Amino acid sequence: MVMLREVSVDELRHLVSERALAGETMLLNMGPQHPSTHGVLRLLLELDGEIVINCIPDIGFLHTGVEKNMEAKTYQKAEVMTDRLDYLNPIGNNLVYCLAVEKLVGLDVPPRAQAIRVILAELTRIGSHLLWLGTSSLDLAAMSTFLYTMREREMILDIFEMCSGQRMMTTYVRPGGLWRDVPVEFEDAVRRFLDLMPRRIDEYERLLTTNELFLDRTRGIGVITADECIQWGISGPVARAAGLKYDLRKVRPYSGYEQYEFDIPTQQDGDVYSRYLVRVEEMRQSLRIIRQALDKLPYGPVRSNNRKFVPPPRSELGVSMEAVIHHFKLWTEGFSAPKESVYAAIESPRGELGVFLEGDGGPKPYRVHYVTPSFANLQIMPILTRNHFIADVVGIIGSIDIVLGDCDR
Amino acid sequence: MTKANTEVLEEAVRVIKERFGAAEHRFRDEVTLIIPPENIIEAAQTLRDTFGFNVLIDETAVDYWPQTTPRFHVVYHLYSMPHNLILRLRVPLNGNAPHVDTMEKVFPNANWKEREIWDMFGIVFDGHSDLRRILMPADWQGHPLRKDYPLGYEEVQFSFNAEEIDRRKPYAKS
Amino acid sequence: MGLEQKTAQMGVVTTTLEQMVNWARTRSMWPMLFGLACCAIEMMAAQASSYDLSRFGMELMRASPRQSDLMIVAGRVSRKMAPVLRLLYDQMPEPKWVIAMGDCASCGGIFNNYAIVQGVDEVVPVDVYVAGCPPRPEGLIHGILTLHDKVQKEKLTKWA
């Protein structure tokens, strides 16, 4: 077990200003456990009185070694680990892994599976934004929003539990389609949610959007411009709040998103308040997408027919010998992928989530790399917090919506 | 959907192949260019300035142990926002402690990505402003994502070996 | 029996010091905010209005270890985080209890590799293990009630 060691200013002398080395400014540790950091993030703040001059993030406290662990498992078994990376968006992680595997081996996905994938991905987006709204306003001391948003989130988790049996880490999206078809009560539950949700979002907006205290704490704080976003590779609501109209669902659509009509909300200011407005509007657009997908839901199979990659249904095993052979091969060895590399990306609630997958001709992935938005977005913390008060740092961390499981993998 | 401008892509591929001696590889609808390590910074700069590949989406590495030439491939994914194109660049590196120039001056967000590659693979980036470990503790020995680094697998306890693993496991005294 | 009913009508209850101290400790245990990963989201859901934790006396989660009794280790503990966990446990004043919530805290979970501590009982002594990945909020509440039963049976000399 590694022992704790104190970090002296000398080790970080290339990052802090000369005044810190002379002792004029203070290096404050906002440690891995703190009431306001979303997950285990450590920030070293260089302070001149109450003003932050520099902010050095220290990550790695949730490093799980997923990439190396996935290399030791077959393609099907490795998918279980992907849920737990960005734990507020488990369907999204599964989806991007399945898109990469399908691209690598050349597997088709039936349209019903694509439509249900879209519905579940948008429900996850709403769930993630609800949790973001609850916790970031809890940081800014608006405590009642937390209880309201968690109440709505319970409805979404009930829908997931109805489909797959698990509230959060469902592993429902599999290569070739879905694990199994949605139950009969799915449509009613989603429609009830769709009817209820717009009034609830109005309720949150009534609480916060024109609230004097909220505006004071968020207007003009943590500003980033669109050019800086391009330079630093920022994507997602942070970039859209700065004026960059970049959403992967429109630019490089996947899973049938081109059939649905929806807008991309953008703002111009790039501060904490704009990010709040962008995410709330995104929730409304997600409801629009779900309604269209549910109305147009086609009938058909939910998993590809290609038995080399997708296990046959149980009913076939008693009748067909080839089905038994395919089943045996998939369960003992797994399917093999060619010796190529692919990159697939989706729009997660935080930004562009991508997978770089390289196969080696065998049943196990040779290299899986997750390109996560939280890792990219956390790099701009020094820019965002320069010349702000310490109390603003808390609001800024909440607004860029990082999830440390996503960042540290 | 924004139309991807494939003429720009073909032109960029042709120029990079001529000027920097790159090899081309296509798979499905993706283009990969394999560039020798001396030329990678100039190639990236050309792509950014002349052809509009202005975002570095990803920088990572792959280990091909036990073969040592090349042992590592550093993989860059560049995206062009005005033309909506993705291009992959691979740089083959030999030996067990390879060096390559840093991409930080061309794309600032390569800073943390190269720290992660140093931490996980041990590839040194010359000219990097702050090359120290990012995901592992600061005094960790070894580079975990290399293929000759063990997984660190703990033996699973079944009923026949439960007691002997229990004796060896370091439990905390209160 | 008759005497106790008589005194209860007058508003007097008799019990032992041990039972009273344990009753007080269970009914107002303050948990420390130690959510690390996915289990923290389910812990937050348990704290929120659908599965309310404040009916068990855990109204808020104290961020400061000096003011809390119970540490719910919710999530996977990496090797970099383990010394921090031990430091926080040492900073808590006695009496203190630890619940290992979820599979990763109990035994390392699905992550059997170099980066995750295989079971948080390698770092701190654990009283109750709650299984699940992540455990449902009802599962966490069952774990908390099991801890309450365990504390009810404790002797005064344990923390004296």
Side-chain angles (χ1 to χ4, degrees), chain A residues 270-282:
Chain A
D271 57 6
V272 173
Y273 187 61
S274 323
R275 288 173 218 142
Y276 158 80
L277 289 174
V278 163
R279 287 195 181 103
V280 169
E281 185 58 34
E282 264 183 25

Side-chain angles (χ1 to χ4, degrees), chain A residues 14 103 340 358 366-367, chain B residues 25 28 30 61 63-64 130:
Chain A
H14 53 285
K103 200 170 181 185
E340 302 281 353
E358 179 159 338
Y366 192 71
R367 171 91 173 104
Chain B
H25 179 76
R28 306 237 188 260
E30 299 183 357
D63 185 9
Y64 290 104
D130 182 22

Side-chain angles (χ1 to χ4, degrees), chain C residues 26-133:
Chain C
T26 54
R27 297 305 189 265
S28 71
M29 225 183 246
W30 283 1
M32 184 170 79
L33 189 74
F34 205 66
L36 296 165
C38 351
C39 284
I41 311 296
E42 289 291 43
M43 191 167 71
M44 282 199 270
Q47 182 78 35
S49 39
S50 296
Y51 308 95
D52 197 8
L53 268 188
S54 45
R55 51 191 162 139
F56 301 109
M58 306 184 175
E59 175 69 40
L60 351 114
M61 304 234 160
R62 285 281 166 209
S64 160
R66 302 260 186 225
Q67 294 169 3
S68 52
D69 309 301
L70 170 67
M71 184 159 84
I72 305 183
V73 184
R76 43 194 190 253
V77 180
S78 73
R79 297 241 173 245
K80 197 168 177 182
M81 190 66 190
V84 179
L85 176 66
R86 182 74 213 183
L87 185 67
L88 287 167
Y89 178 76
D90 289 334
Q91 282 180 342
M92 281 166 71
E94 298 196 343
K96 54 189 172 182
W97 299 275
V98 175
I99 292 184
M101 176 182 176
D103 286 341
C104 293
S106 312
C107 64
I110 62 174
F111 301 111
N112 194 349
N113 55 22
Y114 62 91
I116 295 287
V117 172
Q118 300 296 309
V120 89
D121 47 15
E122 287 187 15
V123 181
V124 293
V126 173
D127 292 300
V128 173
Y129 301 86
V130 181
C133 192

Side-chain angles (χ1 to χ4, degrees), chain A residues 70-360:
Chain A
M70 280 170 85
E71 289 172 18
K73 297 186 185 275
T74 61
Y75 284 99
Q76 297 143 296
K77 295 189 183 168
E79 197 187 340
V80 171
M81 305 196 133
T82 63
D83 280 298
R84 283 133 180 107
L85 288 170
D86 177 357
Y87 37 84
L88 291 177
N89 178 26
I91 302 270
N93 295 357
N94 284 341
L95 180 58
V96 65
Y97 178 74
C98 291
L99 287 175
V101 170
E102 284 153 15
K103 200 170 181 185
L104 187 62
V105 301
L107 199 54
D108 61 300
V109 182
R112 185 177 168 88
Q114 288 191 349
I116 299 181
R117 279 181 177 182
V118 165
I119 297 177
L120 293 174
E122 293 303 316
L123 279 173
T124 320
R125 187 185 312 272
I126 298 178
S128 168
H129 283 330
L130 281 173
L131 194 96
W132 162 80
L133 188 60
T135 49
S136 69
S137 40
L138 188 68
D139 286 345
L140 297 172
M143 293 190 192
S144 38
T145 329
F146 175 69
L147 296 171
Y148 294 153
T149 56
M150 296 302 272
R151 176 188 60 187
E152 260 70 77
R153 213 179 116 85
E154 289 294 325
M155 292 184 70
I156 300 180
L157 294 179
D158 280 341
I159 295 177
F160 287 155
E161 190 182 356
M162 181 194 302
C163 296
S164 68
Q166 248 272 30
R167 278 155 59 105
M168 276 165 67
M169 313 301 174
T170 54
T171 322
Y172 193 60
V173 179
R174 304 275 171 104
L178 305 171
W179 171 46
R180 60 172 194 186
D181 207 345
V182 288
V184 186
E185 306 94 4
F186 178 74
E187 188 170 338
D188 280 332
V190 177
R191 282 205 196 277
R192 245 180 298 136
F193 178 72
L194 288 176
D195 293 330
L196 185 75
M197 204 51 196
R199 287 197 321 268
R200 296 286 163 89
I201 303 185
D202 288 336
E203 210 177 282
Y204 309 142
E205 291 222 67
R206 259 205 309 273
L207 275 177
L208 291 173
T209 310
T210 45
N211 190 334
E212 275 281 332
L213 298 169
F214 190 72
L215 286 173
D216 247 346
R217 279 205 78 169
T218 54
R219 269 252 174 88
I221 306 287
V223 179
I224 190 165
T225 60
D227 288 326
E228 280 176 329
C229 282
I230 296 183
Q231 263 190 332
W232 288 88
I234 309 293
S235 55
V238 180
R240 291 198 278 277
L244 211 60
K245 210 174 168 83
Y246 178 64
D247 187 329
L248 272 164
R249 295 174 288 172
K250 289 275 193 200
V251 163
R252 299 201 294 271
Y254 51 93
S255 193
Y257 266 102
E258 57 269 2
Q259 311 162 20
Y260 309 117
E261 227 182 76
F262 59 100
D263 303 319
I264 308 293
T266 49
Q267 297 277 327
Q268 297 306 317
D269 294 326
D271 57 6
V272 173
Y273 187 61
S274 323
R275 288 173 218 142
Y276 158 80
L277 289 174
V278 163
R279 287 195 181 103
V280 169
E281 185 58 34
E282 264 183 25
M283 280 202 271
R284 292 191 204 276
Q285 296 300 321
S286 290
L287 290 171
R288 215 170 138 193
I289 300 176
I290 299 177
R291 198 179 285 279
Q292 288 172 49
L294 206 56
D295 288 335
K296 292 192 211 169
L297 195 61
Y299 285 107
V302 284
R303 212 155 174 200
S304 160
N305 260 329
N306 192 339
R307 295 278 179 259
K308 297 269 179 292
F309 304 103
V310 172
R314 271 197 89 76
S315 47
E316 246 181 67
L317 289 181
V319 192
S320 148
M321 190 60 202
E322 288 82 23
V324 176
I325 299 175
H326 282 133
H327 183 267
F328 181 75
K329 172 131 196 305
L330 281 171
W331 256 235
T332 52
E333 187 192 310
F335 57 82
S336 344
K339 212 169 173 182
E340 302 281 353
S341 49
V342 290
Y343 176 76
I346 66 161
E347 178 78 20
S348 91
R350 277 152 203 89
E352 176 176 344
L353 176 65
V355 165
F356 168 67
L357 184 62
E358 179 159 338
D360 66 341

Side-chain angles (χ1 to χ4, degrees), chain A residues 14-15 59-60 68 71 103-104 106 232 250-253 340-341 343 358 366-367 369 371 379 409, chain B residues 1 25 28 30 57-58 60-61 63-64 79 84 88 90 109 116 130 132 134 144 146-147 149:
Chain A
H14 53 285
L15 292 169
I59 60 174
K68 194 166 177 82
E71 289 172 18
K103 200 170 181 185
L104 187 62
W232 288 88
K250 289 275 193 200
V251 163
R252 299 201 294 271
E340 302 281 353
S341 49
Y343 176 76
E358 179 159 338
Y366 192 71
R367 171 91 173 104
H369 179 68
V371 183
Q379 263 188 286
R409 279 161 275 125
Chain B
M1 171 170 138
H25 179 76
R28 306 237 188 260
E30 299 183 357
I57 298 183
D58 181 33
T60 181
D63 185 9
Y64 290 104
Y79 175 68
N84 192 10
R88 182 182 304 134
R90 293 184 95 117
N109 61 341
E116 188 194 341
D130 182 22
R132 53 195 170 99
I134 188 170
R146 289 192 172 193
K147 292 283 178 181
Y149 190 92

